[in-house]
Amino acid sequence: MTDHLMGVYNRAPLSVARGQGAWLWDTEGRQYLDCVAGIATNALGHCHPKLVAALTEQANTLWHVSNIFRVPGQEALAERLTAATFADVVFFASTGTESVECALKTARRYHYAKGAPERIDVIGFAGSFHGRTYGAINAAGNPSYTEGFGPRLPGYIQLTLDDAAALAEAIARPTTAAVIVEPVQGEGGARALTGEWLTELRRLCTVHGVLLIYDEVQSGMGRTGRLFAHQWFEGAEPDIMCVAKALGGGYPVAACLATADAASGMVAGVHGTTFGGSPLAMAVALAAFDEISNPNTLAHARDVAEDLRRQLIDLAARYPDVIQDVRGKGLLIGLRMIPNNREFMGIARDHGLLVAGGGENCVRLLPPLNLSHAEAAEAVTRLALACETVRAQVAQAA
Ligand SMILES: *Cc1c(COP(=O)(O)O)cnc(C)c1O
């Protein structure tokens, strides 16, 4: 009975019971190959033994204390995150949208601290997703998430990814504080930006003293086969970066990373959170980080992603009446569908395969990074069965 749950989710008729690796079982005992993975969150699959061990050990030691004390796990994870990236400092939160909120506040405080408080405008892009807080919905600007929630906040500008002239003009304005962009759009339908696009954006931001924020909540933590998606490209580093989803491998933990300079306005008292960086969250996230950042894990992710992509391109060629296009990067894969994507998700589920939806009528495959080659082949087999079902339905309707 969902009667007493706020009706904000469009839930699949599947009650979950347990998971192991890339597999999920419902309360009726049916087994599914899980290519949703908590929306790119369970990057190591369900109940990874190292994460279970870290969680249970910490559960018997210390859960939560508050950020009025030093938390050794935060210092250890921040050291790892900064050593692996452009960043010097980290703020820990619990959810992606909070890491975005911290990034937006960090950017405005930076200009304020540098004596330019008039720089408040944040440039965001159509098709992006940054979470559900007021800052995040205003930065992304998707009308279906802002409508009915009161006036749009001042200081947010929406552009399209393909309008280079408008972007250059907006960055050059003296009131612009920051640009926020996902290097691979997730919810928007697995759209990967090119290295040229990102390096040109980086260049323009540097020239005009505007901070560059990457939202790598979905594309980060190994999803594309590099620890972070922008690391595929030279000279495309941001000033601030949002990380969440896979950071805890399924445990709620998020981080906002920044250079020391970009974070120079974030002084004691201006920001904080109760749950962010708890000892329990840090213990799980440290275990997840060590496993995901392991070169073997990333190499496997690249390998299985290539294997899967090749098979999906084949599948699209066999079913051009069902699959229009294969896109995305690494294991953040989008299939642009001819039939309605939501209906296709239901058909795939009937064949024991779980996939996520996405913008532009996509279904997304976001399997765990440790998906085996046999499981990748199994996902394609089940997709082919779903394509056959679609064909049969269309033939029957004709
Ligand atoms: C999921 C997501 C968010 C929001 O994360 P929550 O944990 O749901 O708040 C923000 N940005 C991107 C790119 C995401 O995919």
Side-chain angles (χ1 to χ4, degrees), residues 129-213:
F129 181 75
H130 302 301
R132 304 296 195 136
T133 54
Y134 272 101
I137 60 175
N138 278 279
N142 183 337
S144 52
Y145 299 149
T146 56
E147 203 183 306
F149 291 110
R152 291 290 306 271
L153 297 180
Y156 291 91
I157 293 169
Q158 253 69 50
L159 298 176
T160 56
L161 287 167
D162 53 16
D163 193 343
L167 179 57
E169 190 272 320
I171 291 176
R173 282 184 213 153
T175 51
T176 299
V179 178
I180 182 166
V181 68
E182 297 162 83
V184 185
Q185 284 190 343
E187 301 303 302
R191 186 150 29 140
L193 298 179
T194 64
E196 293 90 74
W197 197 93
L198 290 171
T199 48
E200 174 59 8
L201 175 62
R202 170 70 274 176
R203 192 189 66 78
L204 287 169
C205 286
T206 303
V207 166
H208 296 285
V210 165
L211 295 178
L212 177 55
I213 304 169

